[in-house]
Amino acid sequence: MNSKVGKSSKSDLKEAISEATMGLKSPKLILFFSDVKHFQSYSEQMKDKFKDSIILGSTTFAGFCKDGAYKDTLIVMGIEDGIECYANVLEEVDKYPLKYVDRVTECINKFHDTTNTVCFEISTALISCEELVLSTLNSVFEEKKIPLFGGSAGDHGRAEKTMISFNGIVYNNACAFVIIKNLSGKIRLYRENIYKPTTHYFTATKVDVRNRIVYEYDNRPAAKVVAEALNTTVKNLPKYLDSYPLGRIIGNDMYITANQMVTENDGMSYHAKIYNNSKMVLLEPDDYRNVINETIDKIKKDVPNPSLAIMINCLARSMLFEKDGYLNEFAKKMSGALGDYIGFAGYGEQLNQQHFNQTMVLAVFE
């Protein structure tokens, strides 16, 4: 597979695109990530330069590649060959993405067969659309056994605004998706948690699913239950929220749900939906350097010669690593397993049927 990753932080946007796409001739697929401020211009100019390529972009907190983690920088991956891919966009994703489901079917019908195929999707964040997007995409993919991974767009971490783009057009209420067939081998998906379960388990008993609020755990006010588990008061609870997310337990799997805030009547709002009767566990930070080393070892064993990789590293994880002075080292370290890869940081991660937070998701192509 022939792919290139490039980057540029030049202030002249035309020069930035030239530098970041140097060496690309006629890529089948381009993925790019940038800050919010220049995103619109990058999207339009990239399409002007590569008229025949499929181009998906997203705003991000930081972009990742083998050289490190970069903010306010354009990061681009172009794939010249070794894949077959088709793409489109779902619109009105906060309410009616299902209206556009035919676009998914049309893409799939172009493949002769869908072995070694995956869907990568990016959605605009902060509009609680992810679960609707997943149910729309999976209504087609499940039957074809096509796995899905992706992320919600990012920004500087102050919840200003997020955008995605598809073939030069910028959206703030949409999901861009590309279905990629690897012609040279398998595609492996990974999900990494750097939080571990405590001994505190709860059941959600009163929930506003649409607005991602839990009012009661085990028939008691949610914020009180969580505060007691952390040995603190509801008043002091906000300062624990970033470091102690919840895990939603589904079968043998656990998906991280990030706290948003304490709401009125001692409810708790979250960055992913929690359903009535969901089994939840309070999480605490694990030794993340150890966890990351284990992930790297596992990937190296599974895929000794990766041709490319795509990473989604949650915005909250990225901010934690940045605070610890580890963000750059983390990005470089991951290249030990991923080779030449591209990554971005947004407000949520998706894998198959689940939307979750504070996690790293990886797709590694043989």
Side-chain angles (χ1 to χ4, degrees):
M1 193 183 287
N2 180 8
S3 67
K4 275 194 162 62
V5 175
K7 62 181 187 305
S8 178
S9 45
K10 290 196 159 150
S11 52
D12 179 307
L13 301 192
K14 230 180 187 63
E15 284 178 18
I17 287 177
S18 272
E19 184 177 41
T21 61
M22 202 186 293
L24 287 180
K25 295 179 184 69
S26 53
K28 289 190 169 179
L29 176 63
I30 292 176
L31 304 177
F32 78 93
F33 306 110
S34 86
D35 57 292
V36 172
K37 191 170 143 195
H38 301 117
F39 184 72
Q40 177 102 29
S41 301
Y42 283 142
S43 298
E44 291 163 3
Q45 290 184 38
M46 198 86 79
K47 190 61 192 168
D48 283 346
K49 184 169 177 179
F50 297 101
K51 290 187 169 50
D52 299 329
S53 303
I54 292 173
I55 307 176
L56 276 74
S58 171
T59 55
T60 184
F61 170 76
F64 302 93
C65 65
K66 69 177 193 306
D67 300 327
Y70 298 88
K71 294 168 87 169
D72 301 324
T73 295
L74 170 66
I75 291 201
V76 180
M77 173 183 271
I79 307 172
E80 300 270 1
D81 55 37
I83 60 165
E84 182 185 353
C85 62
Y86 305 101
N88 210 321
V89 68
L90 301 173
E91 297 174 65
E92 297 180 75
V93 288
D94 60 337
K95 294 193 177 69
Y96 312 113
L98 203 55
K99 265 167 59 175
Y100 304 91
V101 73
D102 291 352
R103 296 178 180 181
V104 186
T105 314
E106 279 161 23
C107 286
I108 286 188
N109 289 342
K110 291 177 180 169
F111 288 95
H112 177 58
D113 80 290
T114 53
T115 48
N116 297 333
T117 298
V118 73
C119 172
F120 170 60
E121 54 77 27
I122 27 180
S123 303
T124 35
L126 311 171
I127 53 172
S128 300
C129 71
E130 289 91 351
E131 288 88 359
L132 288 172
V133 163
L134 288 178
S135 63
T136 302
L137 292 171
N138 282 312
S139 68
V140 181
F141 292 151
E142 271 179 0
E143 185 190 334
K144 302 278 182 193
K145 300 201 168 24
I146 294 174
L148 168 159
F149 77 105
S152 315
D155 57 20
H156 279 137
R158 296 183 288 272
E160 317 135 83
K161 76 172 189 179
T162 70
M163 295 175 279
I164 61 151
S165 71
F166 176 65
N167 287 348
I169 299 167
V170 171
Y171 298 88
N172 57 15
N173 183 5
C175 164
F177 65 90
V178 56
I179 306 166
I180 308 169
K181 178 177 172 68
N182 184 3
L183 301 176
S184 56
K186 293 195 169 85
I187 304 158
R188 291 178 187 264
L189 298 175
Y190 299 87
R191 174 172 63 97
E192 180 187 86
N193 289 340
I194 53 170
Y195 294 87
K196 58 185 181 184
T198 62
T199 53
H200 301 283
Y201 288 80
F202 329 113
T203 301
T205 47
K206 187 179 178 190
V207 177
D208 172 353
V209 175
R210 175 89 190 93
N211 293 306
R212 297 176 170 175
I213 297 170
V214 177
Y215 288 107
E216 291 180 4
Y217 285 122
D218 303 319
N219 303 308
R220 296 180 56 227
K224 283 190 175 154
V225 171
V226 175
E228 280 169 22
L230 285 164
N231 212 2
T232 186
T233 60
V234 171
K235 187 167 167 248
N236 283 330
L237 187 55
K239 62 177 169 214
Y240 291 87
L241 295 184
D242 286 349
S243 305
Y244 295 89
L246 290 185
R248 194 157 63 94
I249 298 165
I250 301 171
N252 296 323
D253 287 321
M254 187 269 290
Y255 298 91
I256 301 178
T257 303
N259 298 301
Q260 189 174 4
M261 59 182 181
V262 178
T263 67
E264 53 191 351
N265 304 330
D266 290 344
M268 299 279 295
S269 76
Y270 295 96
H271 287 291
K273 287 185 178 176
I274 293 175
Y275 301 89
N276 225 4
N277 295 318
S278 289
K279 296 274 177 282
M280 308 297 293
V281 59
L282 182 68
L283 303 177
E284 63 185 358
D286 204 341
D287 179 340
Y288 65 70
R289 288 169 196 251
N290 273 356
V291 175
I292 289 164
N293 287 337
E294 282 168 15
T295 300
I296 287 171
D297 290 344
K298 180 166 173 36
I299 296 168
K300 278 179 166 168
K301 210 166 88 191
D302 292 350
V303 194
N305 300 306
S307 53
L308 67 90
I310 301 165
M311 169 208 282
I312 302 102
N313 188 58
C314 182
L315 189 137
R317 272 177 58 123
S318 303
M319 290 170 97
L320 169 68
F321 293 172
E322 185 178 54
K323 189 179 98 226
D324 292 354
Y326 178 68
L327 191 63
N328 215 29
E329 188 189 326
F330 160 74
K332 288 178 176 169
K333 203 177 174 113
M334 287 310 298
S335 74
L338 305 177
D340 218 0
Y341 78 96
I342 191 170
F344 79 105
Y347 282 98
E349 301 75 55
Q350 292 90 44
L351 187 61
N352 296 324
Q353 289 81 24
Q354 302 300 331
H355 162 62
F356 41 86
N357 319 107
Q358 282 172 275
T359 303
M360 174 171 69
V361 170
L362 291 167
V364 185
F365 290 67
E366 286 181 346

